[in-house]
Amino acid sequence: MKHLLKMLDLTSEEIIDILNLADQLKYELKHGIPHPHLKGKTLGMIFQKASTRTRVSFETGMYQLGGYPLFLSSNDLQIGRGEPVQDTARVLSRYLDGIMIRTFEQKEVEDLAEYGSIPIINGLTDFCHPCQVLADLMTIREFKGSFDGLKMCFIGDGNNMANSLIVGCLKVGMAVSVACPDDYQPPKEILDFAAAYDNFELTNSPVQAAKDADVLITDVWASMGQEGEAEKRKKAFAGYQINDELMAVAKPDAMVLHCLPAHREEEITEKVFEAHAKEIFEEAENRLHAQKAVMVKLMA
Ligand code: CP
Ligand code: NVA
């Protein structure tokens, strides 16, 4: 494993290795056991979109590992004025030991990896959000004990979160059921991958997808960059909500996850959100541990 660009690139074994290391790093942090695996290393963090969790968890995680994080807003970098990513990659590779990037196009992340000579970590693109899904898998295993026999149901937009969840959950052996409006399905590349699994289902019925689910997950109806479509999307996604009606068809002990930020009474009701706040905020915490594991695997 040289980079973390998308879940599609990881083997099942690599995913489990990252989760095991993440569990160990979480244990060490909670017990005050130092783990300075990245002493003297630097991570550049390029942000072309807003962030609370990703920025703070990478920055803190790098500090806890003994390294130094640099926050690089695209407003301040020459990349924001049009310097090609190919050149940025070759320059930053001469100063840094790794780069985390949050941006729009997946191609930009892939180009950084191709032209640079240091590990690249995808901190969210329009196509995928692998760091979040590693934290989600960590949280599912923490609450359920293992992935065996579990069904994950995703309700809503066939977006970056849906894409990474479909791939990640199928790779660790879970059944996956996704409910999207017909015009908002995941892209062909993801559906082609999922087609090889007989435990994958795509439907436009949230109730059908949620039936007997062990884990229900949703995400915002309008992602970053889609703010102009918010009103149109509110209409298209009406009914694609995790609420009491859906929880009633899921398993009685089903857990609920949300990558956050959440829009209450849109993709999830306030009531369901608060009833599952324990899992949702553990999931947010696990961003820290899962990303530290990724950085150790790639940069130590
Ligand atoms: N879930 C997530 O990636 O959060 P931020 O946008 O706050 O980083
Ligand atoms: N789908 C959301 C996820 C935010 C973490 C977005 O891209 O804005």
Side-chain angles (χ1 to χ4, degrees):
M1 182 178 160
K2 278 173 64 186
H3 306 284
L4 176 63
L5 307 181
K6 53 188 180 296
M7 292 304 287
L8 284 167
D9 297 339
L10 298 185
T11 64
S12 308
E13 292 72 28
E14 284 171 331
I15 296 172
I16 300 297
D17 272 0
I18 293 167
L19 301 184
N20 291 345
L21 180 57
D23 285 348
Q24 184 189 324
L25 292 169
K26 184 171 184 173
Y27 176 90
E28 289 176 0
L29 186 69
K30 303 275 176 194
H31 291 82
I33 303 167
H35 40 270
H37 301 287
L38 298 182
K39 195 167 185 305
K41 306 256 170 149
T42 51
L43 176 79
M45 310 188 304
I46 303 177
F47 281 92
Q48 313 229 34
K49 288 175 175 170
S51 170
T52 297
R53 281 143 288 269
T54 306
R55 177 182 175 179
V56 177
S57 56
F58 265 105
E59 195 158 333
T60 309
M62 194 58 186
Y63 172 76
Q64 291 173 358
L65 290 166
Y68 184 78
L70 291 89
F71 173 70
L72 305 168
S73 160
S74 62
N75 296 332
D76 305 326
L77 290 175
Q78 294 289 10
I79 211 170
R81 294 180 55 247
E83 183 169 15
V85 70
Q86 294 89 331
D87 297 354
T88 307
R90 284 176 285 189
V91 172
L92 293 183
S93 291
R94 289 168 184 255
Y95 307 137
L96 300 167
D97 300 292
I99 296 175
M100 190 247 53
I101 178 166
R102 165 168 287 197
T103 188
F104 294 87
E105 282 184 45
Q106 180 69 17
K107 185 172 183 311
E108 205 170 319
V109 179
E110 306 273 346
D111 282 351
L112 261 190
E114 184 181 339
Y115 287 89
S117 52
I118 54 175
I120 306 299
I121 301 171
N122 183 342
L124 179 146
T125 60
D126 293 344
F127 177 65
C128 65
H129 199 358
C131 290
Q132 179 68 53
V133 167
L134 289 168
D136 292 7
L137 292 173
M138 179 180 176
T139 312
I140 293 168
R141 198 171 69 161
E142 194 173 313
F143 278 77
K144 296 286 181 190
S146 91
F147 298 118
D148 291 347
L150 297 185
K151 171 177 169 178
M152 188 284 291
C153 159
F154 180 86
I155 303 288
D157 191 13
N159 64 8
N160 42 17
M161 276 305 301
N163 295 344
S164 292
L165 281 166
I166 291 169
V167 177
C169 290
L170 288 173
K171 283 192 175 189
V172 298
M174 296 172 73
V176 171
S177 192
V178 175
C180 304
D182 291 340
D183 292 339
Y184 295 92
Q185 291 185 354
K188 184 175 180 308
E189 188 179 354
I190 298 295
L191 296 181
D192 285 349
F193 168 84
Y197 290 79
D198 55 15
N199 52 1
F200 174 73
E201 174 191 38
L202 177 66
T203 169
N204 55 20
S205 161
V207 171
Q208 187 181 324
K211 197 169 174 328
D212 298 325
D214 300 278
V215 188
L216 290 104
I217 309 184
T218 189
D219 185 18
V220 290
W221 293 341
S223 287
M224 290 182 275
Q226 297 171 336
E227 289 79 4
E229 296 175 27
E231 284 312 309
K232 179 179 145 202
R233 283 172 167 268
K234 268 187 194 165
K235 292 194 184 87
F237 287 99
Y240 289 81
Q241 181 188 64
I242 301 190
N243 52 29
D244 283 344
E245 187 194 341
L246 280 204
M247 294 309 295
V249 299
K251 293 251 181 79
D253 62 347
M255 59 190 287
V256 174
L257 296 178
H258 193 307
C259 64
L260 305 174
H263 291 192
R264 288 163 169 79
E265 308 309 330
E266 290 189 14
E267 74 274 5
I268 190 166
T269 59
E270 165 93 21
K271 189 172 165 218
V272 173
F273 184 92
E274 290 302 339
H276 293 272
K278 189 162 183 280
E279 297 106 86
I280 292 169
F281 290 101
E282 199 69 34
E283 173 191 16
E285 178 185 323
N286 285 341
R287 291 293 303 277
L288 171 70
H289 311 298
Q291 289 159 194
K292 282 167 72 181
V294 168
M295 290 192 283
V296 171
K297 289 274 176 206
L298 294 176
M299 294 167 61

